[in-house]
Amino acid sequence: MTAARRRRWRRGAAGVLAAATVLTLSGCGGDSTGGRVTLRMVAADYGDSKANSSQKYWDRLVEDFESEHEGIEVDVTVLDWADVDKEVAEMADRGEAPDIAQIGAYADYAAEGKLYSADQLLSIPAQADFLPGLAQAGEVHRTQYGLPFAASTRLLFYNKTLFEKAGVTGPPRSWEELRQAARALEDAGVKTPYALPLGPEEAQAETMMWMLGGGGGYTDNINSYVIDSPENVRTFEWLRDEFVGEGLTGTDPGGLNRQEAFDAFARGEVGMLNGHPTLMRQAEQGGVKYGMAPLPGREGESEVAMGVADWLMAFKENGHRKQVGTFLDFVYGEENVRDFSERYDLLPVTNSASEAMRADEGNEHLWDFLDQLPAADFYPSDKTSWAQVSRDVKAKAGSLVRDGADPAGVLSEIQRDAARAETAVR
């Protein structure tokens, strides 16, 4: 397939993509084996500009794959994160699912019987190469449907120049030290002492980091929702009263999205924030002299790191199991996994690529993040209700910390909705 032809199925309005899907996706179930096959894939964009769009990565990878596999063509459409989950959901609801989707959640599709399992797709070496914690996070009822594609952990980023200006000598290790550092930054005239992005873009991540730091989390050790646990309630009461209420976040957290916070840090306007590896490059491009440290917890450094994984999944609808498996074995080759991870400063999801990056001093800036990954806590992505719960958290997280907020009431409402969603999908 030529590059010009491939570009015909690119990003655009939902209606245009829907029309293209109707015209190009092949029909029914089964395992298509005859003739040439064109696989349709929808993927998320990890770039922050056209210059480093993920489309370039996929175009290069597909070109290499097609040169080695004459009977299989792959057409990849890359969409912004703001659109991609919704777009794939609408395609699946219309009965027009792509062969492959690279998005944020998989379990609801698995519960509906729409996905191939990992062992139906991948060779044994490819499946065995996933990091164990990530492979387990991709399971529903002990069968893996979600294929981890990219991962990250979080560290506290701080602006060394602003710290020096405020007389702060090192990164905070506890919430009280964090509050004191933020107060010193505010007194020194820093616009945003601490950026707390609880806006809808990625509030579920910021929320989980604070829950873990306070000894709580979304689920307990038997994977039941405990969103309104006493530990979580105390966490957001502290944020409301001791942090946001003291004016240490510079703006209403509920109106601040993650990318906006990252952009402000890269402009030198933010003293501290929780960040993932891609913030390093953005901060360097902005000329910000920054440091990184483990996330503070209630009494000291947070005992549990948060990990995030994005997922690949293969829909049964078009009956291209064999061809999809061939392509995915290629996608998960060590060189390709490492290329994507290094391109976007993300963490590889396979043992082979992780070991290679850990041994390469050129990736030393990622080592602290890599070291956290094996023992990190992940979203409860294996729960078929998680997609809905995540949407609820994104919508309501900002209201947890506003003046006069009732964290116990808000968290109880989210917990009740989560319990209903979990019951409904069983």
Side-chain angles (χ1 to χ4, degrees):
M1 177 181 294
T2 65
R5 181 179 169 193
R6 189 174 294 117
R7 284 194 292 269
R8 294 172 191 165
W9 208 66
R10 291 302 181 226
R11 61 171 75 232
V16 175
L17 183 56
T21 306
V22 170
L23 290 172
T24 58
L25 285 177
S26 60
C28 55
D31 192 358
S32 174
T33 57
R36 297 182 66 82
V37 169
T38 297
L39 303 177
R40 305 299 185 186
M41 178 177 176
V42 176
D45 195 353
Y46 290 81
D48 55 14
S49 67
K50 288 184 179 180
N52 69 344
S53 168
S54 297
Q55 192 72 62
K56 293 186 175 182
Y57 169 81
W58 287 112
D59 285 349
R60 193 277 308 161
L61 183 143
V62 166
E63 183 178 358
D64 291 347
F65 173 79
E66 290 178 352
S67 71
E68 299 178 16
H69 300 83
E70 187 175 342
I72 307 173
E73 297 177 348
V74 185
D75 200 348
V76 182
T77 294
V78 172
L79 299 175
D80 291 336
W81 270 111
D83 304 320
V84 66
D85 288 307
K86 177 176 179 291
E87 185 64 32
V88 170
E90 291 177 354
M91 293 169 72
D93 288 344
R94 292 194 302 266
E96 300 164 1
D99 295 285
I100 306 165
Q102 186 268 299
I103 52 178
Y106 66 88
D108 46 347
Y109 299 118
E112 294 168 358
K114 294 182 176 182
L115 303 181
Y116 290 116
S117 61
D119 59 1
Q120 292 176 307
L121 297 166
L122 298 174
S123 65
I124 292 174
Q127 190 175 356
D129 199 23
F130 289 129
L131 293 169
L134 289 170
Q136 185 176 3
E139 294 179 354
V140 174
H141 304 310
R142 299 188 178 181
T143 298
Q144 185 181 356
Y145 295 95
L147 311 181
F149 177 69
S152 65
T153 57
R154 301 295 195 267
L155 292 171
L156 179 74
F157 283 69
Y158 58 97
N159 185 313
K160 290 184 175 181
T161 302
L162 297 181
F163 265 43
E164 183 177 353
K165 177 182 177 182
V168 181
T169 57
R173 293 169 296 178
S174 67
W175 286 357
E176 176 56 26
E177 290 182 8
L178 185 75
R179 189 186 68 81
Q180 292 175 6
R183 173 63 67 200
L185 289 163
E186 186 196 38
D187 291 344
V190 175
K191 183 177 181 180
T192 305
Y194 183 94
L196 182 66
L198 293 178
E201 180 186 354
E202 204 187 31
Q204 81 282 7
E206 189 74 20
T207 297
M208 182 173 173
M209 282 182 272
W210 285 94
M211 286 178 170
L212 292 174
Y218 284 121
T219 57
D220 60 17
N221 57 8
I222 59 170
N223 205 32
S224 296
Y225 285 119
V226 288
I227 297 168
D228 61 349
S229 69
E231 292 83 0
N232 291 340
V233 171
R234 286 198 296 270
T235 290
F236 289 100
E237 288 177 342
W238 185 89
L239 278 171
R240 178 197 63 191
D241 298 336
E242 305 295 331
F243 213 58
V244 178
E246 294 295 315
L248 302 179
T249 59
T251 186
D252 173 23
L256 181 66
N257 280 324
R258 182 205 63 186
Q259 191 57 56
E260 294 168 336
F262 280 18
D263 292 346
F265 186 82
R267 293 193 300 268
E269 299 171 359
V270 172
M272 301 175 285
L273 80 170
N274 295 337
H276 55 61
T278 59
L279 181 56
M280 292 185 290
R281 183 174 303 180
Q282 189 175 354
E284 289 163 3
Q285 290 172 344
V288 173
K289 186 180 179 182
Y290 66 90
M292 299 183 298
L295 299 186
R298 182 179 293 277
E299 303 298 335
E301 292 179 2
S302 182
E303 295 182 359
V304 182
M306 187 192 77
V308 175
D310 301 324
W311 303 96
L312 268 174
M313 61 213 69
F315 286 88
K316 296 178 178 179
E317 187 170 308
N318 304 304
H320 294 151
R321 179 187 62 81
K322 181 178 179 181
Q323 294 86 353
V324 168
T326 299
F327 178 61
L328 292 180
D329 264 6
F330 187 83
V331 168
Y332 284 108
E334 178 191 324
E335 182 179 340
N336 291 325
V337 173
R338 185 173 176 180
D339 179 21
F340 185 87
S341 301
E342 291 176 342
R343 185 182 297 246
Y344 295 106
D345 282 332
L346 290 167
L347 305 183
V349 297
T350 62
N351 290 294
S352 58
S354 294
E355 291 168 3
M357 290 180 68
R358 193 66 179 80
D360 182 356
E361 292 186 358
N363 289 306
E364 186 175 2
H365 61 296
L366 291 172
W367 288 354
D368 286 343
F369 294 98
L370 277 169
D371 290 346
Q372 289 186 323
L373 190 58
D377 238 23
F378 292 88
Y379 298 141
S381 302
D382 58 325
K383 298 174 80 66
T384 53
S385 57
W386 170 244
Q388 178 178 326
V389 174
S390 177
R391 287 193 294 268
D392 287 347
V393 172
K394 289 179 180 181
K396 298 174 182 178
S399 66
L400 288 165
V401 297
R402 289 180 182 140
D403 184 34
D406 176 18
V410 175
L411 291 173
S412 292
E413 182 180 356
I414 297 173
Q415 173 73 24
R416 288 193 299 270
D417 290 344
R420 281 195 291 267
E422 187 70 2
T423 300
V425 297
R426 286 176 180 169

